[in-house]
Amino acid sequence: MNLRWDGRRLVRREPAAPTLILIGLPPQHVLEEVAPPPAATTASPGPMKAFASGASQLVFSVPPEVDGLELSLESLLDWERLVPMTVPVVQPGATPTGLPGSVLEFPTRLLLTYDEPVDWVCPPEPRSADGRTGLWHARLTGERGGEALLRAFARVGDRTPVAERVPLSAADLEALVTLTCRQQLFDTDNAAIVLPSAPLHAEQFIVTPLGASTHLHGAWDDLTGKAAAQLDSIRRNRPNLAAYDHITGLGRDQFVRVVTRGFLCTGHPALLVTEYKRLFIADRDGGVTAYLQREDRILPRVPEVRYGETTGFPHQGREMPFRTLRITDRVTPPIKPVWPPKLPGQDQPLAVESFWVELQDGSRDHEFTVIGTDHEGRDVSFTIPLVFVPASRAGEFEQLRRLYAPEETKATSNRLERTLGGQVMAMAKPPADAPGSTSHAVGSLVFQMVPKSDGGEHPLAGTLVVSRAEVQVPALEPFTPNASHVPVRFNTVYVDRGMTAHPARAYLDLDTAVDLTFAAEQSGGLARPNAAVKVITSQAGVVPDMFKADATGAVGTAPMTDIRKAFGAAKLLGFIDLGELVGDIAGQALDRLGQLGDDDIQAVLDDDNGRLPAPVLRIRDLADGAGKELRYVWKTDLEPPTRGPEDKPLLLDVNGTVLTLDARTTISKEADRTTSVEGRLRHIALNVAGVARVEIAELTFRAVPGSKPDVTASGLELKFDGDLEFINTLRSALPADAFGSGAFVDVQPSGIRTGYTLALPAIGVGVFSLANVSLTAELIIPFEPAKAVSLRFSVSERQRPFNVTVSLFGGGGYFSLLVDAERGIREAEGAIEFGGSAALDLGVASGGVTVMAGVRFELKGDAVTVGGYLRCNGFLSVLGIVTVSVEFYLELTYEKKDGQSVVRGRGTLTVSVKIAFFSKSVTLSLERSFSGAPGDPTFVDCFDKDTHWEEYCLSFDGDS
């Protein structure tokens, strides 16, 4: 440019105009497709795609002191006296100079130029040695012979797309332009974007006709958060590059290293180091081919990350039990490569998306070794697969949500649950006055990815939290089989508002309420507290779920219907649902659960008016390290339900009744267990089948190791109601206190049997006498839940009936009744017989008459038997010559069993006549039975469907 041939050499056309020499170079780089990993290649992978770069152009300015150039190769290649021209940095709004600059397309699709003055050294003549002639080449050096500095000013995007699997993606080329072009960018508010700009260092850059032999290197600082947001505002990709190395020989890649900046999903800054190396593979035919192969590794840049209230957790970090996570891996083994996605019609270069870090063969995840520090400074270690998030994707939550969705695949679910092997850690920050109260031996943790809260310091759009866990709850182990680790979640009130917002200072909830299973000898006959506990608290231990937050967030008592569900398995006296008897709980009473020390519990037990609104299950260390003590304690008012089950009469009268339970299980260092139980019921009455009422002022139960359970009762009184109320007239014959003289109490592991047997002395007053009368009352309180409280009352027995005589009439009988509180009358039987006789002697004639009658009934379950008889006989003798006797016997029986009823009747009449030495007897008998229907007619049986059914239905038409 601006040179002309004067016949001898090249001279300037216009002395003042720029004078340039433009050198065209053939393509200096060949972009090759990357071969599959070696593990998948047993032989040569076959042809790989390759893409040549465009031509490059070197532009030199002829300095003023050079007045002309010889038109020869030696003169035109003497670049040391010429000035290399760069492509100027054009700022937004500036006018380009219009002068050409040196443009090197290297690597393919990237345009480079000089960042500072450089020199080209080009031997004008070929050099030969040992019979070989060197290829023509030109070496680029810095102005003083050092490294040349280059910058990328543009990316070529108007050519045919290259292969998907190449060393440098379109996003990498775009990042090189952003980080090296030195062009000042402005955001939408016209504010300058400060970028970590730095040029590429060319330790070697030699151009040849067959391609360039180079060694390029670049490194850049982190992009600030402000600059990242500004780039987002102008819809320009954030550069992920942290470092870039490129070595080629004659245009073919030998080694490429791309270091991408990003984060692990835990928030640890990390680098993805991707290296492409040319490896030689022997062909089966004996040839050797060289392919580019890729190897990726991840290097955590910062080993430890801290978590807290300001790091982006939606609930101030309460959902994350760790305060720090420290990754011990310095570098991962080779991992599975992840290629940038290719979307048709995409106008922006795509960066690598977030991905799970898997081993190179894809067989399994790489599990990072992590040491977590909990709220009390305790370290626990575990391994966990992690996701790598490129820096440019840090603000995108959708990819993280998709990767961490447990419903996607079973593999994802396995990634989320991590085993801790029983290491002890604090699941929540304990209260200042209760260190260690939130610590558990943890079997596993289940992690979840949630969106980051606004303004959080966490670098990603999402943050890891613990959604579920399996922990050891020592207080549950003595009561629940296989309870080494139970599934838990964080309590919602604790997560939303903190531990102090919960009345019981709860922090964990059991996934499923655990039913406590007490052995009969451990729980006593008073109450079998198999309640379902669900809420784990810092100081009250484990309690039932009886809390609910209102619309304002304040926590009070849950509806009583929900609270009573927690006591669905609890039994009082072995068979009565304790949940139905739990009284209303005031919201203020729940606050007591928040601060419960041993002294506080004892004060409640000693105070007649003291109450514990919920059963408390807690564990503490014994003095001198002797072991641990588990305590289940509860003191509450009982309240009768509004109606009995299925409209049956209420079994218990618990007006003013107070239930106290205090069970202690001691576990020694040798794992020996001893249990002691104390229980007390005050002011309770038992209604048995509507026929008897037992009132007890106080019933206590105490069981200690090595001794027989001790049951005491005071103020026990037995009364009869309903049809048996007449028996109360006999109370004058009963002792005032059934547990006084003559009473018996038998305590067995299966239950309590108590009562009395009293034999009345014979009574005779004039023509009246009463003998063999005995009264028996027996109350059985079983400990087994399948059995109910039962009462047996009898007046004499079948084998020893009572006898009554009044003048010439006499008889006897017995009565026995067995009832329980669940089915009512189970057995009832009784019988009475009476009769009389009279004789007449008139001298000429004599005779006598005898009449006997009896009734017996028996009820066993659904079987009923009722029978009666009448026997009459008489005789008349005249002068001893003629004697006539007549006997009449009538028997009637009613039986009902299995829904079938039968009535049987039998009558016999016998007449005997004796005259002197002749006698004759005649007997007439008659027997009949009648079978009843198996049941009452059904509703359908009462209608003639063809004639009356329609009329019946129409009678309900209208508003009536």
Side-chain angles (χ1 to χ4, degrees), residues 217-233:
H217 171 71
W220 298 272
D221 295 333
D222 290 353
L223 191 69
T224 64
K226 179 181 179 180
Q230 289 177 304
L231 288 174
D232 291 341
S233 69

Side-chain angles (χ1 to χ4, degrees), residues 739 744-748 751-755 757 778-782:
F739 280 83
F744 63 87
V745 178
D746 184 19
V747 179
Q748 299 292 336
I752 302 172
R753 177 177 170 267
T754 180
T757 299
E778 183 181 63
L779 179 67
I780 299 177
I781 303 176

Side-chain angles (χ1 to χ4, degrees), residues 349-426:
L350 294 180
V352 173
E353 295 184 345
S354 304
F355 60 89
W356 286 103
V357 180
E358 301 179 61
L359 296 180
Q360 189 175 49
D361 59 0
S363 60
R364 58 187 177 91
D365 295 315
H366 170 68
E367 297 189 357
F368 291 82
T369 301
V370 177
I371 298 177
T373 304
D374 66 6
H375 290 274
E376 295 187 303
R378 191 184 294 109
D379 289 341
V380 297
S381 62
F382 57 96
T383 61
I384 182 172
L386 297 177
V387 170
F388 178 80
V389 182
S392 61
R393 304 284 191 180
E396 302 175 9
F397 178 72
E398 181 58 28
Q399 289 185 15
L400 287 173
R401 185 206 64 77
R402 187 171 62 251
L403 290 171
Y404 269 90
E407 65 273 8
E408 290 289 331
T409 61
K410 182 179 180 181
T412 304
S413 179
N414 294 336
R415 288 163 169 161
L416 304 183
E417 183 172 359
R418 307 314 303 163
T419 300
L420 268 69
Q423 298 178 81
V424 177
M425 61 173 287

Side-chain angles (χ1 to χ4, degrees), residues 599-610 635 680 682:
D599 295 339
D600 300 320
I601 293 177
Q602 192 59 45
V604 171
L605 297 179
D606 295 339
D607 184 2
D608 288 342
N609 297 320
K635 186 177 182 182
R680 179 186 302 168
R682 293 169 50 195

Side-chain angles (χ1 to χ4, degrees), residues 633-917:
V633 60
W634 189 20
K635 186 177 182 182
T636 185
D637 293 313
L638 299 184
E639 181 177 288
T642 56
R643 300 183 66 84
E646 300 178 359
D647 294 331
K648 293 181 180 179
L650 298 178
L651 305 179
L652 286 183
D653 183 356
V654 291
N655 286 308
T657 302
V658 179
L659 170 65
T660 303
L661 289 173
D662 190 0
R664 300 170 186 254
T665 299
T666 302
I667 305 174
S668 67
K669 293 187 295 184
E670 292 77 20
D672 296 330
R673 297 183 180 181
T674 57
T675 299
S676 63
V677 179
E678 293 184 12
R680 179 186 302 168
L681 271 175
R682 293 169 50 195
H683 309 302
I684 188 170
L686 183 66
N687 296 311
V688 185
V691 296
R693 177 180 173 88
V694 182
E695 295 181 353
I696 305 173
E698 183 173 271
L699 182 63
T700 62
F701 178 94
R702 178 177 174 83
V704 295
S707 62
K708 187 177 180 180
D710 179 23
V711 176
T712 60
S714 62
L716 186 145
E717 186 176 3
L718 176 63
K719 298 180 181 179
F720 292 94
D721 295 326
D723 295 337
L724 298 182
E725 190 173 3
F726 71 92
I727 302 176
N728 290 329
T729 59
L730 300 176
R731 288 186 57 79
S732 59
L734 299 178
D737 190 342
F739 280 83
S741 176
F744 63 87
V745 178
D746 184 19
V747 179
Q748 299 292 336
S750 59
I752 302 172
R753 177 177 170 267
T754 180
Y756 60 86
T757 299
L758 181 65
L760 301 181
I763 301 174
V765 179
V767 296
F768 172 82
S769 68
L770 177 66
N772 295 333
V773 177
S774 63
L775 301 176
T776 301
E778 183 181 63
L779 179 67
I780 299 177
I781 303 176
F783 292 165
E784 292 86 349
K787 296 183 179 180
V789 172
S790 61
L791 173 70
R792 186 177 185 274
F793 177 80
S794 64
V795 179
S796 298
E797 301 288 346
R798 180 193 300 180
Q799 62 272 20
R800 294 186 60 190
F802 62 83
N803 297 322
V804 179
T805 302
V806 180
S807 184
L808 58 109
F809 297 99
Y814 64 91
F815 171 77
S816 177
L817 176 68
L818 176 64
V819 297
D820 66 31
E822 182 176 354
R823 292 179 293 176
I825 299 176
R826 290 175 50 189
E827 296 181 12
E829 66 174 347
I832 188 168
E833 292 181 309
F834 60 91
S837 61
L840 179 67
D841 189 354
L842 299 177
V844 178
S846 63
V849 62
T850 301
V851 179
M852 293 292 295
V855 177
R856 179 181 181 274
F857 68 90
E858 181 179 8
L859 170 65
K860 287 187 178 181
D862 297 331
V864 179
T865 302
V866 179
Y869 73 92
L870 174 65
R871 182 192 299 268
C872 300
N873 56 43
F875 71 95
L876 178 65
S877 175
V878 179
L879 299 177
I881 300 174
V882 178
T883 301
V884 178
S885 63
V886 178
E887 180 178 343
F888 174 74
Y889 179 82
L890 177 63
E891 178 182 352
L892 187 65
T893 303
Y894 169 80
E895 295 180 357
K896 183 178 182 180
K897 186 176 182 180
D898 298 330
Q900 298 285 345
S901 58
V902 178
V903 178
R904 293 186 178 91
R906 184 165 62 93
T908 303
L909 177 64
T910 303
V911 179
S912 298
V913 178
K914 180 180 180 183
I915 301 174
F917 302 103

Side-chain angles (χ1 to χ4, degrees), residues 466-489:
V466 172
S467 62
R468 290 183 290 113
E470 287 189 352
V471 304
Q472 188 175 5
V473 184
L476 295 177
E477 290 186 10
F479 303 98
T480 54
N482 304 320
S484 57
H485 292 95
V486 292
V488 296
R489 297 177 184 268

